Amino acid sequence: MRKKKTNTLSRLTCLLLTVSLLWLLPGCGSGSASPFPPEEETVRAAAEKLDWTLLPEETQVWAEDQILYTLKTNSQMDVALSCAVVEGKRTLTENCTAAGLPAEPVFTWEDWKKAVSLAETLYGGFSEGELYQTLSALDIPEPEDPATGAPSATGQGAISWEAELPAAYARVWYTVGAGTTESSFASTVVQDWRMTFSISLYASKDAYESERT
C-alpha cells in the first residue's frame, strides 16, 4: 500500500510540473497570444496611453476578421487603423493623415514614434520598442515622385522603407505635398501642406507579396 501511494504521488508531481512548463513556454497557456484583430477596448486602451482618442462611432466591421478603427491624435491628426486576418495571417495598416499644415513638414522618426508604438502594440509579437528602434535606425532617403519613382525635383513626394523582423515584415511610406495653392501667371504659391504617414505589418515578406497579387 505504501509503495502504491508513493507511485501515485510521483505521477501527480510529474503532471503538475508538466502543466507548469507548458504555461511558461511561448505560445502555450491562456493569454499567450493576443486576439487579432484587436477588440475595441484593446485599441481604446492603447490609444489612451498615447493621449489619442478612439472614435467608436466610426468603427467599421466587414467580417469577423476584418475591422477598421478611426482615431484622433492630440494634434488633431486623423488615424485609420485597418486590422485583418488574411489566410490565417495577421495584417495591420495604420494611416496617419494631416492637412492644412501652415509650413512644409520635414520628416523625422521622432515625430512618428507614437504611431509606430501603436502598430507594434496591437500587432503583437514584438519586444517593447523593438519596431521603432529598427525603423529609426534606417536612413532617410531622398523623396521620390509617386507617379514616376524618380527623385523629386521639388523635394516633395514619397519616402519609403522596409524592414524584416522576427515578428513581422514592415513597410513604411511618408508623403508630403501641397494642399491649397494660389496660382498666378508667373508662379504658384502654396498656402498650406498635407502629409501622410503609413505603416503596414505582415506576417512575412512572402505574405506581403501574396496579398499584392
Side-chain angles (χ1 to χ4, degrees):
M1 286 294 291
R2 187 174 298 171
K3 186 175 182 180
K4 186 175 181 181
K5 187 181 290 186
T6 301
N7 288 339
T8 302
L9 287 171
S10 297
R11 291 195 190 103
L12 181 59
T13 301
C14 288
L15 179 61
L16 289 172
L17 284 171
T18 302
V19 171
S20 299
L21 286 170
L22 287 173
W23 276 92
L24 291 171
L25 286 171
C28 298
S30 64
S32 58
S34 56
F36 197 89
E39 297 178 353
E40 187 172 280
E41 196 51 47
T42 302
V43 177
R44 186 195 311 278
E48 287 177 352
K49 286 183 178 179
L50 306 175
D51 293 326
W52 292 7
T53 304
L54 173 69
L55 306 179
E57 67 277 8
E58 296 188 26
T59 297
Q60 299 179 46
V61 181
W62 294 285
E64 185 180 353
D65 54 0
Q66 297 180 11
I67 190 165
L68 175 69
Y69 294 107
T70 301
L71 304 95
K72 204 79 172 175
T73 73
N74 48 6
S75 61
Q76 297 304 299
M77 181 171 59
D78 296 315
V79 180
L81 182 70
S82 174
C83 304
V85 177
V86 180
E87 297 181 352
K89 297 175 181 178
R90 300 181 176 201
T91 300
L92 180 150
T93 296
E94 180 184 353
N95 286 313
C96 306
T97 58
L101 303 172
E104 181 179 1
V106 177
F107 181 86
T108 66
W109 280 112
E110 183 64 28
D111 290 340
W112 303 103
K113 189 172 185 177
K114 288 185 176 183
V116 173
S117 172
L118 183 68
E120 175 188 273
T121 298
L122 297 178
Y123 189 86
F126 296 95
S127 59
E128 186 176 355
E130 177 185 6
L131 183 59
Y132 178 77
Q133 289 171 11
T134 300
L135 293 175
S136 61
L138 300 176
D139 293 333
I140 301 175
E142 291 296 319
E144 294 182 348
D145 186 318
T148 65
S152 171
T154 63
Q156 304 172 41
I159 307 173
S160 63
W161 300 264
E162 64 176 334
E164 199 150 12
L165 297 91
Y169 169 68
R171 292 190 65 87
V172 179
W173 297 266
Y174 175 80
T175 61
V176 59
T180 306
T181 59
E182 191 175 280
S183 298
S184 64
F185 178 76
S187 63
T188 298
V189 177
V190 178
Q191 301 292 325
D192 55 53
W193 299 84
R194 54 183 169 77
M195 68 176 177
T196 300
F197 176 86
S198 177
I199 178 170
S200 294
L201 299 175
Y202 304 86
S204 64
K205 189 170 184 176
D206 287 343
Y208 162 72
E209 297 290 352
S210 177
E211 283 196 38
R212 289 188 66 193
T213 57

